[in-house]
């Protein structure tokens, strides 16, 4: 099944202590371009996160949003800095001896001195949290892929319908080409008769003229290649995954053939068909840009 490059997936995990949310969304892109916005606490796992995402997507501009909300509040740790406290006590004793002061300082007074006590916030253990993050990330990725596949179903149907229409136009061109040559023969014969009057027409000269004209307007090679490209594209659509680049190449070849047919068209009806053909192929190319 083909996949669209546009998609969205979301998952979250809620516990008594925290809420972890992951959202994934993507738009068209030539390559796989992954952007991640997440709390600094998960920065060490960025490469791992990218590797996981690449298991679910080959192409697209993929944006990942990771949110972490702590319900329990920050854990505070009281840090007693013994070296600083000892420095204060040594200074107090030296000052007392030097100035003959009474020694002694209370513990409360000591810990109130600058930098004796520090309050540090304990971070959650990221290594413990990451397995939960990976679980939520993969769940979001599954929903993300499902959305891409659902959109891919619509693309598959639409592209096949367009290809059927293009093939009908190619058949119309093949039908019109011999009629155009016949009309040209009648037209040039009538003009020669007008010029020569009752004189006989030299069939060899007429045949030569018709051959030259037929060579200029012949589109048999182009229509044969277009039939081949249409079949190739339909077969490729059935392959499913990671076919966007191949489809784009086939569409470029189809567009090249349609341009050639249009340049050779020396007839209003054929020109109109060729213009419609080129327009439909452009629509196919636009749709293919959405396929992974």
């Amino acid at each position: 099944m083909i996949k669209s490059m546009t998609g969205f997936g979301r998952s979250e995990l809620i516990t008594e202590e925290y809420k972890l949310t992951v959202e994934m969304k993507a738009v068209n892109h030539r390559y796989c371009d992954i952007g991640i916005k997440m709390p600094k606490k998960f920065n060490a796992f960025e490469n791992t996160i990218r590797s996981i995402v690449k298991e679910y997507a080959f192409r697209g501009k993929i944006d990942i949003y990771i949110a972490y909300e702590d319900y329990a509040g920050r854990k505070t740790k009281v840090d007693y800095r013994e070296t600083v406290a000892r420095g204060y006590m040594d200074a107090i004793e030296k000052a007392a001896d030097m100035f003959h002061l009474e020694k002694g300082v209370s513990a409360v007074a000591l810990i109130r001195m600058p930098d004796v006590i520090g309050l540090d916030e304990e971070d959650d253990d990221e290594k413990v949290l990451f397995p939960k993050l990976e679980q939520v990330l993969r769940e979001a990725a599954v929903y993300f892929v499902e959305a891409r596949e659902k959109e891919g179903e619509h693309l598959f149907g639409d592209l096949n319908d367009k290809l059927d229409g293009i093939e009908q136009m190619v058949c119309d061109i093949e039908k019109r080409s011999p009629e155009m040559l016949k009309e040209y023969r009648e037209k040039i014969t009538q003009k020669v008769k007008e010029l020569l009057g009752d004189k006989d027409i030299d069939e060899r000269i007429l045949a030569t003229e018709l051959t030259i004209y037929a060579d200029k307007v012949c589109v048999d090679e182009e229509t044969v290649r277009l039939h081949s490209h249409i079949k190739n594209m339909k077969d490729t659509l059935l392959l499913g995954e990671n076919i966007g680049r191949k489809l784009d190449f086939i569409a470029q070849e189809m567009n090249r053939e349609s341009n050639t047919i249009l340049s050779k068209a020396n007839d209003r009806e054929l020109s109109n068909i060729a213009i419609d053909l080129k327009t439909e192929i452009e629509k196919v190319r636009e749709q293919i840009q959405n396929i992974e």
Side-chain angles (χ1 to χ4, degrees):
M1 179 182 296
I2 68 173
K3 296 177 184 175
S4 168
M5 275 194 283
T6 58
F8 177 81
R10 185 180 189 276
S11 182
E12 66 180 17
L13 174 65
I14 301 176
T15 70
E16 294 181 354
E17 298 180 349
Y18 59 84
K19 180 172 78 170
L20 190 58
T21 305
V22 175
E23 290 185 355
M24 297 176 62
K25 66 177 184 178
V27 293
N28 303 347
H29 197 274
R30 188 174 181 182
Y31 304 106
C32 184
D33 183 10
I34 301 173
I36 306 174
K37 292 185 178 180
M38 60 184 174
K40 292 181 179 179
K41 67 192 306 88
F42 296 125
N43 282 351
F45 305 107
E46 181 175 347
N47 289 335
T48 305
I49 293 171
R50 290 181 183 276
S51 298
I52 292 172
V53 174
K54 288 181 179 180
E55 295 177 21
Y56 297 88
F58 295 102
R59 294 175 68 201
K61 175 66 175 69
I62 305 169
D63 292 315
I64 302 170
Y65 302 92
I66 300 173
Y68 178 78
E69 187 174 350
D70 187 0
Y71 289 156
R74 305 300 295 175
K75 300 174 183 177
T76 303
K77 177 179 69 175
V78 177
D79 182 23
Y80 169 64
R81 296 161 183 170
E82 182 179 352
T83 302
V84 177
R86 188 176 298 279
Y88 278 123
M89 291 304 297
D90 289 344
I92 289 171
E93 288 183 4
K94 287 181 181 179
D97 291 340
M98 181 177 295
F99 297 105
H100 306 288
L101 300 174
E102 182 181 352
K103 295 181 180 180
V105 61
S106 69
V108 174
L110 178 63
I111 65 173
R112 286 179 176 175
M113 293 181 179
D115 298 325
V116 174
I117 294 295
L119 300 178
D120 297 326
E121 291 183 341
E122 291 184 344
D123 290 330
D124 295 318
D125 190 346
E126 291 83 357
K127 292 183 179 180
V128 175
L129 278 176
F130 183 74
K132 299 297 183 183
L133 171 60
E134 181 178 359
Q135 172 191 333
V136 179
L137 177 63
R138 290 187 180 276
E139 288 175 357
V142 169
Y143 293 130
F144 172 75
V145 171
E146 288 177 354
R148 282 184 149 197
E149 289 177 345
K150 186 175 181 180
E151 180 65 22
E153 291 180 10
H154 297 300
L155 287 173
F156 180 84
D158 183 64
L159 283 171
N160 272 288
D161 289 342
K162 282 183 168 57
L163 289 172
D164 289 339
I166 289 172
E167 189 148 34
Q168 182 58 53
M169 291 178 190
V170 176
C171 292
D172 292 340
I173 290 171
E174 290 174 325
K175 182 179 178 181
R176 177 58 187 164
S177 292
E179 294 176 355
M180 185 176 64
L181 189 60
K182 180 181 178 182
E183 290 174 2
Y184 182 76
R185 179 187 177 91
E186 294 174 353
K187 181 179 179 181
I188 195 172
T189 301
Q190 181 62 33
K191 285 188 175 181
V192 171
K193 283 182 178 180
E194 291 175 359
L195 291 172
L196 298 180
D198 296 333
K199 295 181 181 179
D200 294 334
I201 300 175
D202 190 335
E203 291 294 334
R204 290 177 302 175
I205 297 176
L206 183 60
T208 301
E209 175 65 23
L210 289 172
T211 300
I212 295 172
Y213 178 77
D215 186 59
K216 289 181 179 180
V217 300
C218 180
V219 293
D220 290 352
E221 293 183 7
E222 288 77 13
T223 56
V224 168
R225 283 195 288 265
L226 275 171
H227 282 302
S228 176
H229 292 325
I230 292 168
K231 183 181 184 304
N232 192 8
M233 184 170 286
K234 285 187 173 183
D235 291 342
T236 303
L237 284 170
L238 295 174
L239 296 178
E241 296 184 353
N242 201 18
I243 59 174
R245 291 181 183 175
K246 182 177 181 181
L247 291 175
D248 188 47
F249 174 76
I250 298 171
Q252 289 179 36
E253 294 301 307
M254 292 173 66
N255 189 58
R256 185 175 290 110
E257 302 300 339
S258 69
N259 284 335
T260 304
I261 291 174
L262 187 58
S263 67
K264 288 184 175 182
N266 194 22
D267 172 77
R268 179 177 296 178
E269 183 176 344
L270 187 61
S271 294
N272 290 337
I273 299 173
I275 290 171
D276 291 340
L277 173 66
K278 182 173 174 60
T279 300
E280 285 302 303
I281 291 174
E282 287 296 334
K283 290 179 182 178
V284 167
R285 289 190 67 185
E286 289 177 4
Q287 288 288 57
I288 285 172
Q289 303 307 312
N290 297 320
I291 296 177
E292 184 180 42

